[in-house]
C-alpha cells in the first residue's frame, strides 16, 4: 500500500507528501489498494493459495518512515479490504516484507490481518521470541542475529539455542535476514548451517 509509493516519491518526498499533500498521498494509497483488489479478483477462486505475501519496506532501524497514526488511519482500512478477500477464499496466513524496526506498526498489522513478518531484521528490532511471546498468532521468518555469526561458534550456538522453544512451538522459521556481512567467515557460516540442520532439521 505504501512501499512502492515510497520508491516513487523517495524517502524525503514521502515525508513532504504526508505533511503537505495528505489527500494526494491517500489517493495514491487507494489506487494501490484498488490495483491489488483487481488482481486478487482475477485469481482468487480460480487458483488455490496457501498464503498471501506483500511488500511494504517502510521501516528502518528507528521505526517506520511515517507515523503509526498514518498506518492506522490510511493504510489499515485498505489492508482490511484485502484481508476480507483473502479470508473469503480460505487464506489465513499473510506475511509482508518489511525491514527495520516493525514494532510500532505490528499491532496495526495484526489488527488488519497481516500475521507474519519477513525477513525480520533482528538487529533493527529485537529477539524474535519477544514478539512471538507478546503477540499470540504472530509468525516470523528470519530473526537470526548475523552479528553472532561473526563472533564465532560459541556465540552462534548460544543464539540458536535461544530460538529452540520458538521453533518447537511452531510458527517460526529461523534464518539470516538478507545476506551475511562479508566478515562472516566461510567456516562460521558453514558451522551455522550445519548446527541449524542438526538442531532443527531441513
Amino acid at each position: 500500500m505504501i512501499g512502492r509509493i515510497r520508491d516513487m516519491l523517495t524517502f524525503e518526498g514521502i515525508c513532504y507528501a504526508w505533511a503537505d499533500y495528505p489527500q494526494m498521498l491517500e489517493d495514491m494509497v487507494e489506487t494501490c489498494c484498488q490495483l491489488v483488489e483487481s488482481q486478487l479478483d482475477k485469481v482468487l477462486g480460480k487458483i488455490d493459495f496457501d498464503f498471501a505475501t506483500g511488500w511494504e519496506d517502510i521501516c528502518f532501524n528507528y521505526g517506520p518512515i511515517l507515523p503509526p497514526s498514518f498506518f492506522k488511519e490510511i493504510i489499515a482500512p485498505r489492508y482490511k479490504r484485502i484481508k476480507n478477500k483473502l479470508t473469503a477464499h480460505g487464506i489465513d496466513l499473510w506475511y509482508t516484507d518489511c525491514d527495520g524496526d516493525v514494532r510500532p506498526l505490528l499491532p496495526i498489522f495484526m489488527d488488519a490481518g497481516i500475521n507474519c513478518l519477513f525477513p525480520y531484521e533482528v538487529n533493527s528490532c529485537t529477539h524474535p521470541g519477544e514478539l512471538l511471546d507478546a503477540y499470540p498468532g504472530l509468525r516470523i521468518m528470519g530473526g537470526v542475529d548475523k552479528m553472532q555469526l561473526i563472533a564465532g561458534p560459541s556465540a552462534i550456538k548460544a543464539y540458536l539455542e535461544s530460538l529452540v522453544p520458538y521453533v518447537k512451538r511452531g510458527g517460526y522459521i529461523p534464518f539470516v535476514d538478507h545476506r551475511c556481512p562479508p566478515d562472516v567467515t566461510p567456516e562460521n557460516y558453514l558451522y551455522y548451517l550445519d548446527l541449524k540442520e542438526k538442531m532443527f532439521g531441513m
Side-chain angles (χ1 to χ4, degrees):
M1 297 299 101
I2 194 69
R4 297 299 179 191
I5 297 173
R6 188 282 315 270
D7 281 352
M8 289 188 283
L9 297 181
T10 73
F11 187 107
E12 289 183 354
I14 199 170
C15 295
Y16 279 118
W18 167 67
D20 297 336
Y21 305 102
Q23 291 180 325
M24 179 197 77
L25 189 57
E26 182 171 4
D27 185 64
M28 295 176 79
V29 172
E30 174 62 20
T31 299
C32 288
C33 185
Q34 290 184 23
L35 289 170
V36 172
E37 289 176 313
S38 175
Q39 292 301 309
L40 290 176
D41 288 341
K42 289 178 171 62
V43 297
L44 292 178
K46 301 175 180 66
I47 303 171
D48 292 330
F49 294 96
D50 296 317
F51 58 91
T53 72
W55 187 89
E56 202 73 289
D57 200 355
I58 201 68
C59 295
F60 60 117
N61 59 333
Y62 294 108
I65 296 171
L66 298 176
S69 60
F70 175 84
F71 282 82
K72 186 174 183 178
E73 297 165 11
I74 305 299
I75 304 295
R78 275 82 182 187
Y79 282 157
K80 290 177 181 179
R81 282 161 47 185
I82 293 169
K83 175 61 176 175
N84 289 339
K85 289 181 179 291
L86 299 176
T87 301
H89 290 87
I91 302 169
D92 59 4
L93 180 59
W94 180 11
Y95 83 74
T96 194
D97 182 326
C98 188
D99 302 341
D101 189 350
V102 299
R103 286 174 290 184
L105 298 183
L106 186 52
I108 300 166
F109 282 166
M110 294 284 288
D111 180 65
I114 294 173
N115 56 8
C116 184
L117 299 175
F118 168 90
Y120 197 74
E121 292 184 303
V122 64
N123 287 291
S124 296
C125 200
T126 185
H127 189 285
E130 289 189 28
L131 295 189
L132 290 167
D133 287 338
Y135 293 91
L138 175 67
R139 286 88 160 185
I140 291 179
M141 297 186 289
V144 170
D145 185 353
K146 44 196 180 186
M147 297 302 106
Q148 305 308 314
L149 273 64
I150 298 172
S154 60
I156 295 168
K157 184 178 181 184
Y159 192 82
L160 289 183
E161 286 176 344
S162 76
L163 302 177
V164 168
Y166 302 101
V167 175
K168 285 185 176 180
R169 190 171 72 185
Y172 174 56
I173 302 173
F175 53 81
V176 173
D177 67 86
H178 300 98
R179 299 172 182 86
C180 284
D183 40 0
V184 175
T185 65
E187 292 79 14
N188 282 358
Y189 189 69
L190 291 173
Y191 174 81
Y192 153 72
L193 291 179
D194 290 341
L195 182 61
K196 188 167 71 164
E197 181 180 354
K198 181 180 178 181
M199 293 175 67
F200 306 132
M202 292 293 289

